[in-house]
Structures are given as C-alpha cells and as structure tokens.
Amino acid sequence: MATDMVTNSRAEVLRRVRAARGGTSDGVAVRAGWDGIAREYRRKGTREREGLLALLEDRLRDYDARVVRAAGEGVGQSVAKRLVERGVRRMVVPVGLPVEWMPVGWLPASAGEVEFVVDEGLSSEELDDVDGVMTGATLAIAETGTFVLQNVAGQGRRAATLVPDYHLCVVRAEDVVETVPEAMGRLQETAGLATTFVSGPSATADIEMTRIKGVHGPRSLDVILIV
Amino acid sequence: MSGVGLDPKTAPTFPMAAKAMLGDTQLRKNVRHATDVIQEKRARVVGEMPDWQELREAGRQIRRHTMEYLDFYLEEFEANCTRAGGVVHWARDAEEARGIVVGLVKASGSDQVIKIKSMTTEEIQLNSALEAAGIHPYETDLAELIIQLGEDRPSHIVVPALHKNRQQIREIFQREMKLPELGERPQDLADAARMFLREKFLRVKTAVSGANFLIAETGGVCVVESEGNGRMCLTLPETLITIAGIDKVLPRFQDLEVMLQLLPRSATGERMNPYNSIWTGVDAASSGDGLRDGPRVFHVVLTDNARTEILADEEGRQTLNCIRCGACQNACPVYRQTGGHAYGSVYAGPIGAILTPQLQEMHHAQSLPYASSLCGACYEVCPVKINIPEVLIHLRNKVVKQNTAGVAGLFDVEAGAMKAMAMIFRSERRFRAAQRLGRVAERPLVRRDGQGEGWIGWLPGLLGGWTQARDLEEMPKETFRDWWERRGRDGN
Ligand code: SF4
C-alpha cells in the first residue's frame, strides 16, 4: 500500500512535468541544449603567479583569516609558531598529512609542546575536546578567498575540520587557481567525493547585519601558503 | 516551535497586513537598515566582476534549459543519487511531503531532529507536522533559532530575522535560554547560540535539510551556508533527510561554476559564503583515510507542491528559475517599507509576490501580484534575470480572469489595461518608457479588495519617497493618458 503510493507519486509528478513540457525529453536534445548554453563569462584568470598568490592572501585576510607564506623546512617551523600563538594544546590531524609539514621533534605525539592526535575515527565528543585541526587542501580559489577540502588523505573527514575551534590549513601554491570555473574544472574528476568549500571562519550576519565570527564551525582560521 | 507558520490560505490580504506593518516603526527601521547594508555589500562585490552580465545570462540559460528538460534531469538525479546510496522519494504536494518526512524521522528512531534553514520546509509547514507527531525540531540557523524561540515568523529568504534588532534578540535569548546575565553585543548573542546548539549537534541523531542544488550528473546535493550549522547537520547525525523542490535540479557539476558565483554575491554580498557543502549519497568509506564520513542513511524528498502547475504556464514558468538569493527583496521599495510578514507567506518581496499565488494555484494570496510598484528594481538585480514585473502583470491578468469567470464583461476595462501592460513588459524599450511613468501607469490598475478599499492608490503615494531617492531619468514629455491614446492610434 505504502509502496503503491510512493510509485504513484513518482509516476504522477513525472507525468505532470511531461504534460507541462509537452512530452518526454529526448537525451540527444538534452545534450545539444546543454552544449548550446552561452558561457561568455571568464573561465581563466590572467594573473601571474605572484599576483595570484597576493590576491588569495588579500581575499583570505578580508575574511579574517591569517595568512603566512613558508617554504621547505620553514613549513614545520611556521606551523609550530602558529600553534604557540594560538595557544593550542591538542591538535587533531587526518591520516595521510605530509610528515614534512609537522614541526621537527613534535612527532611522535606529545614529544613537543603540542599533542597531535591522529583521527582514526574520533567521535564527535572526542573532536569537541581538541583545540584545533590541521589539514591540507585540494585547491584554493584566489578570487574568492576559498579553499576546498575533500574526503582524501591529508584532508580528513568533514567532522574533523568542523567541530574543533581552530583550523590550520596548508595550501600549496601550485594548487591555487584564480577563478571559480578553473576550480570546478579541476574538481570535475572527483566530483563524487564529499567536498567542502571554506571561505574564512564560520560567520553570521543575522544580528543587525554585523559580521560575527565563529558561530558553529571553527572560530579562527590560519592558512600557510607553501611557495 | 509554536509560532504559527505563515499560511497564504488564512493570511490577511497584503494591503490589510501592510497597513498594520507600516505602523511598526521599529520593524521598518530594522528592515531598512538590514536591506541597506546587504545592498551596499552586494553592489560592491558585483561591481568587482567584469563578467557579471555574462554570468547572469549563463545563469538564466542554465535554469531555462533545466526547466525545459526537467523530467530528464529529475530521473538522472534519482538514478545517480540512488547509485551512491541515497534513497529518493517523490511527493505530489505538501501533505505527502510532510508524511514522508515524519515517517522517515520515526523510522530513524529519534523523537528530535536538528534542522538547517530551508524555505521548502517552511513552505510545507514541516515543523508543526513534526510536533504533531511528537517530534521536536531544533532550528540551528541563528536567525531561524531567533524566530523559533521568539515564536515569530521568518520575514526574508536569506536573513529571516532581519526585522529584529539586538535588544529584541537579547530579550528572547535571556528568556528562552534562561540567561539573565546575557550581554547585548552581537558576539555575546552568537556565543549563547553556539553554547545552546552545540549540545544538540553532538547528541541528536537525525537531521533535516533543504538543498540549494541537486546535481543531476552526479546525484550530488549542494548546501550553501555561513555559520557551520549546516555542516553540523549534514555531517554529524546518522540519518539525513533532505527535502527539495523539483525545481532545484542543476544539470551538471560544472554548472556550479556559474551558480556559486551568482548566489553568494547576490544573497549576502560576499564573494563566497563561508561554507558550501557538496555530498553524494552516503560515503562508502572507499576513499581517503578509509573512515566513514557523514550520515549512514540519506534520503531526498523531491517535492512538486504546485511547481508543475507553474511549469505548465508559459508566462509564469520563469518563476521556477529562482535560486532564492533574496536580492529582489532587498531592492524592492514595497518590501523595504512593509517587511516580509505583510506578504502572508514564507516567500516575501517580489519573488513572493509571484511565487506564492502560483504555489496556491491562484486560489489564495490574490492581492500579492498587486504588492509592487512595477519599478523594475527586482529585475535589475536578479542573478538569473527573472522578469518579475512581466510575471506580475501576467498574474494580475490571471486574477482578473479568475474573478470574472461568470461575470463576463464586468472587468473588461481592467483586463484590457493589463493586457497592454503585459505587452509593455515584454519589450525593453516600452518597459523603460513605462518605468519613467511608473506612478501614473498604475492608475488604470487600481482595484478594490474584499473590504472595498481601493488600495493600489495608496501604494504609490506611500512610495512617493522612493521616486525622490531614485533617478527618474527625465520628466515625462507627455502624460500617460496622451501616450496611451497615441499608442492606440499608432497601433503599436
Ligand atoms: S527572483 Fe531572482 S532576485 Fe529574487 S530571490 Fe529569486 S533569484 Fe533572487
């Protein structure tokens, strides 16, 4: 009976759609129609590498994120500095985070001033108990100040980058694109993965249109740009 | 939540409600401030985009193409979502959608749900159905929480509590969260909400969300938000139930490159909102670190609820292209004066004026197509170029036809005037000419509502201030009447 109703609803909604549009859509026409959509907007950015990175930094700062550049061994040092600045004691990291990004001597866990906890399936409560999370990113979009996280090694589960109060994201300069279309082009192949676009820390403007940081997601965000 | 939802079936007509709202100076002040701020931000970030018009045109074409082949894309979405482990349900109307969601929540074994702000759940009045079934819904968007705790109603698509200022919000939180010492800085209020909801996020096992886009090509769903409450609901619970109008489909993943540029800039005046989540079915733990990520059970409820009626109406169809950015509300001089509640529907402002009556199959909310000065500001800002004035005129015509069935001839003059107006709005040149004459052009369309009050007459009067704030390109060279008559003679 219930199944009947469900099947009927599906058939009925589709029947109504087809009646409204004068028949069943033909796959070839659909494809041709989609290909015919005018896309005269900008697809590719025009900036040189330095201009591109400067734009990303500017946009990220505009969203109240802190951004620094680092290279080679400097990455680990830069991470250490950020964590001390932020007063972080326990940091969760995803499986597959590049070891060379970690502060020297801070592995294994709690060898340094900060204890690193590898997320091997922490519960939400356990995640609520750590101070911050550190991840890489699939890519970053300069024009909008966005980085993109996916469910792949080094970027972790969505919950891990959500529940802790602080997020430190490491982005490689070669993964920075200028425009949204360039980003979507790169993401096309892995479109089926859980994907999160992050632009600045959690924020709301619901109270008198004043921008308030950190409502439910991370309250503070640092980005280290590897050049 | 015990605040009664906005129901066009029982709401007073727009002019009646609007008159009451006009007396509320605090509300009007709050609405004006909020819409000023968003409009200013929107103008700034839209101005940064050298290709804004090309993006709008692509947005319009993508939406129109989707509606053209909606059956194909719905089936494609269903197949791909199912393959990824999602379960797709279909609902003919609001009642059926409510029944499906209530049944799924019960099956999840929870008597509580956490909710992401969703216009569709408001439209079908899901919260009262959940409560009637003994299920407690927690709104997790800050604005929706303010409304839920204050037993209030949303007044804007994107910022539903923009009619409340910080003192009013503080009073609600002090009372409902039992926090007598709560400060009144916006940060204090946000912190209180964070504390209040954190426990729910970690404990409640079932979530209900809406969707900004359903991606046919991949079976993926996209939710766009700012606070992180969306991510909490999408990520932490065991069961996720997403309810979406059948109009939310997007053909391909790539099409997001257009929508993700148009929507945030138009909605909140940001280059990109803090968080966009895209997920496809349930995570099969086959990738990345081998850990499960997100809910184990995922349902999508595809809801018609009169959308196919709108699709069947050639002139009204473009209403379905709406991506719910709210830009038309912020730009509308009528909305800015009355706020959202006067519209008697969760969809307020220009989009509400065209969407609500059609969702009601024109049986209710008949006064809404008249809740506009036809100034064209909504059309200018709409990121997918919906010609709202054109649809308004078309719907006015429909209202007249519906009301005169059986009393043939009585309203002929009005019907004729409206046909002419419809023509004007179909041509940009004519539209611009009429725009210059805006206030006068309304005159032949003045009508009387059920209470016998002529009320379009007072709207332009009320909006007199608007013409002072906005450039009238030049003084009309001839009167409306002259122009009207000459038009008739010249036969164009
Ligand atoms: S009609 Fe256009 S401007 Fe208004 S909410 Fe919809 S998309 Fe935005």
Side-chain angles (χ1 to χ4, degrees):
Chain A
M1 165 71 199
T3 327
D4 263 14
M5 198 181 80
V6 172
T7 341
N8 288 344
S9 299
R10 180 184 190 282
E12 174 59 13
V13 173
L14 284 170
R15 186 198 65 75
R16 289 178 188 170
V17 171
R18 288 179 176 131
R21 299 300 303 138
T24 302
S25 296
D26 154 55
V28 178
V30 174
R31 183 157 254 287
W34 190 85
D35 288 340
I37 292 169
R39 294 173 191 268
E40 276 151 23
Y41 48 85
R42 288 171 308 143
R43 309 200 57 85
K44 276 199 173 13
T46 51
R47 284 180 169 76
E48 302 293 322
R49 183 183 130 108
E50 181 46 39
L52 183 65
L53 299 184
L55 181 66
L56 175 66
E57 289 175 319
D58 177 69
R59 298 302 199 226
L60 282 166
R61 290 200 181 106
D62 201 36
Y63 277 131
D64 300 317
R66 284 199 214 156
V67 199
V68 291
R69 295 191 190 191
E73 292 194 353
V75 177
Q77 287 162 17
S78 185
V79 168
K81 209 167 151 223
R82 296 282 84 70
L83 298 185
V84 171
E85 256 174 37
R86 294 285 187 180
V88 168
R89 310 293 315 168
R90 294 183 76 218
M91 203 62 189
V92 72
V93 292
V95 173
L97 192 79
V99 173
E100 62 270 22
W101 294 354
M102 306 296 279
V104 181
W106 285 21
L107 275 179
S110 67
E113 293 136 72
V114 178
E115 180 188 354
F116 284 91
V117 187
V118 178
D119 177 21
E120 286 170 314
L122 298 175
S123 69
S124 307
E125 288 77 10
E126 286 168 320
L127 287 172
D128 199 28
D129 229 35
V130 298
D131 300 320
V133 57
M134 174 176 163
T135 69
T138 297
L139 57 83
I141 310 168
E143 198 166 80
T144 58
T146 305
F147 58 81
V148 175
L149 303 174
Q150 292 187 303
N151 182 18
V152 294
Q155 297 173 36
R157 296 180 303 146
R158 288 175 288 169
T161 51
L162 170 64
V163 180
D165 257 13
Y166 166 66
H167 186 179
L168 173 61
C169 185
V170 182
V171 178
R172 294 188 178 92
E174 64 261 34
D175 296 329
V176 180
V177 297
E178 186 170 335
T179 65
V180 176
E182 287 167 289
M184 298 316 288
R186 286 212 197 182
L187 292 170
Q188 177 73 42
E189 263 184 39
T190 51
L193 294 178
T195 302
T196 310
F197 287 58
V198 179
S199 312
S202 152
T204 184
D206 277 339
I207 301 167
E208 294 184 5
M209 303 313 295
T210 313
R211 188 174 167 100
I212 314 164
K213 276 193 291 173
V215 197
H216 300 300
R219 295 173 203 243
S220 41
L221 174 67
D222 289 344
V223 175
I224 295 177
L225 202 51
I226 305 187
V227 289
Chain B
M1 166 170 148
S2 41
V4 183
L6 286 162
D7 187 350
K9 290 199 182 92
T10 52
T13 59
F14 179 81
M16 296 291 108
K19 239 180 194 169
M21 293 303 158
L22 290 173
D24 188 340
T25 46
Q26 184 65 58
L27 176 135
R28 290 175 62 193
K29 218 173 122 201
N30 297 347
V31 172
R32 205 158 41 234
H33 169 72
T35 49
D36 278 347
V37 174
I38 319 183
Q39 286 209 93
E40 191 268 320
K41 285 174 69 189
R42 178 200 164 274
R44 191 155 40 83
V45 297
V46 163
E48 275 175 10
M49 301 293 278
D51 56 345
W52 186 250
Q53 294 309 330
E54 288 78 14
L55 281 167
R56 280 180 84 206
E57 179 57 24
R60 185 182 74 86
Q61 292 193 22
I62 290 169
R63 296 298 288 150
R64 199 181 52 181
H65 167 81
T66 311
M67 294 311 145
E68 175 99 34
Y69 300 109
L70 190 58
D71 60 327
F72 181 91
Y73 286 125
L74 284 169
E75 287 196 309
E76 190 183 17
F77 171 79
E78 181 190 42
N80 289 324
C81 179
T82 307
R83 183 164 348 142
V87 185
V88 177
H89 309 259
W90 301 70
R92 281 169 287 203
D93 52 29
E95 192 189 340
E96 197 171 5
R98 286 190 298 259
I100 293 170
V101 177
V102 168
L104 290 173
V105 176
K106 283 193 165 158
S108 78
S110 183
D111 58 1
Q112 301 181 333
V113 295
I114 44 179
K115 274 191 71 209
I116 311 183
K117 180 176 112 59
S118 139
M119 297 309 295
T120 316
T121 62
E122 299 274 0
E123 175 191 322
I124 65 165
Q125 306 199 356
L126 181 66
N127 281 5
S128 40
L130 289 170
E131 278 169 4
I135 299 159
H136 187 87
Y138 292 102
E139 293 292 349
T140 64
D141 172 77
L142 180 54
E144 290 289 349
L145 178 69
I146 294 165
I147 283 164
Q148 185 177 37
L149 295 179
E151 300 191 3
D152 197 351
R153 300 161 305 170
S155 68
H156 188 280
I157 301 179
V158 177
V159 240
L162 91 171
H163 57 287
K164 292 270 187 239
N165 61 25
R166 67 182 78 180
Q167 287 80 12
Q168 294 168 318
I169 296 166
R170 175 172 175 241
E171 277 163 31
I172 295 169
F173 280 12
Q174 282 179 320
R175 189 176 64 236
E176 298 298 318
M177 296 178 184
K178 313 217 163 26
L179 297 170
E181 305 297 313
L182 183 62
E184 71 160 42
R185 291 181 311 140
Q187 187 69 55
D188 299 331
L189 303 172
D191 287 346
R194 182 180 176 105
M195 291 285 289
F196 181 79
L197 287 171
R198 191 46 78 119
E199 177 266 332
K200 273 119 201 137
F201 287 134
L202 297 180
R203 182 175 50 81
V204 178
K205 295 293 174 218
T206 307
V208 174
S209 87
N212 290 92
F213 305 105
L214 307 171
I215 308 155
E217 180 191 27
T218 59
V221 182
C222 177
V223 162
V224 169
E225 49 126 5
S226 289
E227 294 171 13
N229 68 304
R231 295 176 65 198
M232 292 276 181
C233 294
L234 301 174
T235 307
L236 302 184
E238 278 162 17
T239 302
L240 171 61
I241 303 160
T242 295
I243 165 154
I246 52 172
D247 52 319
K248 288 295 168 73
V249 185
L250 206 55
R252 298 207 199 157
F253 186 77
Q254 194 203 321
D255 294 321
L256 283 172
E257 74 188 19
V258 176
M259 297 304 161
L260 291 183
Q261 294 192 75
L262 290 174
L263 180 56
R265 286 179 202 258
S266 301
T268 50
E270 293 175 295
R271 299 183 183 106
M272 191 70 90
N273 44 284
Y275 301 126
N276 303 328
S277 298
I278 305 169
W279 74 99
T280 311
V282 286
D283 196 291
S286 57
S287 59
D289 46 24
L291 300 172
R292 285 207 75 106
D293 187 15
R296 286 157 197 235
V297 183
F298 170 53
H299 298 274
V300 185
V301 185
L302 297 175
T303 306
D304 178 352
N305 204 29
R307 283 161 177 74
T308 45
E309 284 276 331
I310 305 176
L311 191 65
D313 177 355
E314 213 175 298
E315 287 167 85
R317 181 179 301 153
Q318 56 177 314
T319 311
L320 294 177
N321 295 356
C322 175
I323 56 171
R324 311 276 191 267
C325 71
C328 56
Q329 304 185 323
N330 306 326
C332 176
V334 178
Y335 175 88
R336 283 163 55 81
Q337 292 292 342
T338 62
H341 292 158
Y343 293 77
S345 151
V346 294
Y347 303 105
I351 180 60
I354 59 171
L355 182 57
T356 303
Q358 297 186 86
L359 287 177
Q360 302 294 323
E361 297 175 11
M362 303 303 292
H363 293 309
H364 303 277
Q366 287 195 342
S367 61
L368 284 184
Y370 294 85
S372 163
S373 63
L374 298 179
C375 69
C378 48
Y379 183 19
E380 254 168 59
V381 297
C382 179
V384 289
K385 288 188 171 176
I386 298 173
N387 189 335
I388 297 179
E390 181 184 88
V391 180
L392 282 167
I393 297 296
H394 166 64
L395 296 181
R396 288 183 189 189
N397 214 349
K398 266 187 135 172
V399 170
V400 173
K401 273 203 199 118
Q402 217 167 48
N403 289 348
T404 52
V407 230
L410 201 60
F411 286 79
D412 274 359
V413 178
E414 193 182 351
M418 239 141 1
K419 256 186 214 135
M421 286 299 279
M423 274 178 53
I424 292 171
F425 279 95
R426 248 172 264 138
S427 140
E428 181 156 355
R429 187 177 52 79
R430 288 192 213 127
F431 175 71
R432 289 204 179 281
Q435 218 177 0
R436 282 199 287 274
L437 298 163
R439 290 168 51 180
V440 199
E442 281 283 356
R443 282 244 172 89
L445 304 178
V446 171
R447 63 192 294 277
R448 300 192 176 274
D449 66 8
Q451 283 82 4
E453 272 194 64
W455 48 274
I456 278 297
W458 64 258
L459 268 182
L462 169 81
L463 295 169
W466 175 72
T467 46
Q468 286 158 18
R470 203 183 149 88
D471 280 348
L472 284 180
E473 290 164 32
E474 58 194 63
M475 288 302 289
K477 296 222 166 51
E478 55 189 335
T479 66
F480 175 76
R481 196 168 291 279
D482 293 343
W483 172 78
W484 187 263
E485 279 165 2
R486 187 167 52 77
R487 259 191 75 261
R489 260 202 325 277
D490 298 350
N492 55 0

